[in-house]
Amino acid sequence: MTRAVLIDCDPGIDDMMALLTACASPELELRGVTTVGGNVGIERTTRNARSVLALAGRGDVPVAAGAKRSLVRAVARHDSAHGDDGLGGIELPVPDGRPDRRPAAEFLAAAVEASTEPVALFAVGPLTNVALFYATYPDIAATLDRLVVMGGSIGPGNITPAAEFNVWFDPEAAYRVLAEPDVAVPTTLVPLDVTRRTGLGEADLARLAAAGPIGGYAARALGGYRHGAGPAIPVHDAVAVLSVMHPELMTVRRATVQVETGLGPGRGATLVDLRPEAAPAEGVDATPVDVGVVPTVDVVVDADSRAVVEALLDRVTRLDRR
Ligand code: RIB
Ligand code: CA
């Protein structure tokens, strides 16, 4: 049975891996992609999303651009770990045509409203578009089958000691979506703690490159990812997509998530409360929407990282075997 999905992203090398994974997975029916400023500017993230979809033979998937910057405070300019082009310098061909003319929030609402099946939304960049979707079209957002967010951290961050990049880039948006959504959308959080442990080594890059041109582009992009410590190259966003297709590889616990929106050194930190008393027992309404009541979120607290990488390689290399 296929599952209708939408992906909101800021490509981004690991966003590219998430898009390729989705395009290679027959269980997922990719209905559309929306883009947000984050790893690089909105013009680039939008161009990159269209280029990656065309590379995967899915130039038919509509792409709609969203927010250029965060809701409240702009972040200081920073060197992107993804390179100036956002894809590690691989310079993919730019497909003909143009993005969908609707802003991302409107596009998401239209895609969800038009669907006769439940739709899941993957959010693998800053949550600005999702916050705008929730605020502008709450009745439509409430019909989402699930929201799956790559972001936040239980422990230390990556962009600062306290914060993970997607939440740091727009903490107010993350707060709105995770702590005060006002819509009862079942939500999964795939935090940095799990994704930073799920990376590709040299042999994995070689397998991608040996598969063919698509795998070659992916391997070269990953090679350009200035991801920081450790030999393995993380594929944060692809883990979020794979968490839906391989739940058996994930350990999930219910929690509440608070987001620090102050201006101090903890800005963008996520407080993930895994204490049993913080989350209703199984079967109890996991997503109370009373204003001010922080809803329960399903948090991926562990994963079989090697099996996730194998699943990613199996899928992405399929694109060159079609
Ligand atoms: O912290 C990892 C997240 O930040 C990923 O979504 C990556 O693409 C960057 O946006
Ligand atoms: Ca991303």
Side-chain angles (χ1 to χ4, degrees):
M1 185 181 85
T2 60
R3 185 166 191 177
V5 301
L6 294 161
I7 299 179
D8 184 75
C9 55
D10 61 334
I13 295 164
D14 59 320
D15 305 72
M16 172 180 180
M17 298 309 293
L19 290 171
L20 293 179
T21 301
C23 290
S25 301
E27 311 94 306
L28 302 182
E29 185 192 343
L30 183 57
R31 295 279 182 85
V33 172
T34 51
T35 55
V36 63
N39 285 319
V40 288
I42 187 67
E43 289 77 16
R44 253 304 175 172
T45 58
T46 306
R47 167 178 163 165
N48 290 343
R50 297 187 64 240
S51 295
V52 170
L53 289 167
L55 176 71
R58 294 304 314 276
D60 60 297
V61 175
V63 174
K68 285 180 182 288
R69 53 146 285 182
S70 47
L71 291 181
V72 177
R73 291 182 177 270
V75 298
R77 288 197 60 75
H78 59 283
D79 284 337
S80 174
H82 302 256
D84 292 343
D85 72 327
L87 293 180
I90 60 172
E91 286 304 340
L92 288 176
V94 181
D96 296 334
R98 49 179 302 116
D100 190 291
R101 303 182 70 82
R102 290 167 290 184
E106 181 182 347
F107 176 89
L108 292 171
V112 173
E113 191 171 41
S115 180
T116 53
E117 303 90 35
V119 178
L121 172 58
F122 291 103
V124 296
L127 288 167
T128 318
N129 291 340
V130 181
L132 292 170
F133 175 34
Y134 278 19
T136 315
Y137 306 96
D139 296 341
I140 299 173
T143 66
L144 273 175
D145 179 46
R146 182 163 286 269
L147 172 71
V148 182
V149 174
M150 188 280 134
S153 60
I154 300 166
N158 52 1
I159 190 74
T160 74
E164 177 278 325
F165 178 85
N166 288 336
V167 175
W168 170 84
F169 196 91
D170 195 341
E172 283 78 9
Y175 173 86
R176 182 66 172 77
V177 170
L178 296 172
E180 197 173 324
D182 291 354
V183 288
V185 175
T187 298
T188 298
L189 183 72
V190 185
L192 184 63
D193 315 78
V194 170
T195 64
R196 69 187 344 157
R197 296 199 303 265
T198 308
L200 276 66
E202 285 304 318
D204 301 320
L205 297 188
R207 277 171 63 184
L208 279 174
I214 299 171
Y217 271 116
R220 284 198 302 282
L222 287 162
Y225 192 177
R226 297 199 302 273
H227 62 281
I233 303 169
V235 282
H236 306 284
D237 298 339
V239 180
V241 173
L242 288 158
S243 73
V244 165
M245 293 181 293
H246 288 282
E248 76 283 1
L249 302 180
M250 307 290 156
T251 304
V252 178
R253 287 181 51 193
R254 291 150 76 90
T256 57
V257 181
Q258 301 271 15
V259 182
E260 175 54 65
T261 56
L263 301 181
R267 180 168 172 79
T270 45
L271 179 63
V272 180
D273 191 349
L274 291 159
R275 294 173 302 164
E277 60 269 32
E282 286 294 331
V284 172
D285 176 2
T287 53
V289 292
D290 305 332
V291 172
V293 176
V294 179
T296 305
V297 172
D298 296 314
V299 178
V300 177
V301 295
D302 200 0
D304 179 340
S305 297
R306 189 62 220 164
V308 172
V309 170
E310 286 295 336
L312 179 142
L313 293 172
D314 168 62
R315 289 174 188 273
V316 174
T317 54
R318 288 182 199 177
L319 294 170
D320 279 306
R321 294 199 300 265
R322 289 177 303 184

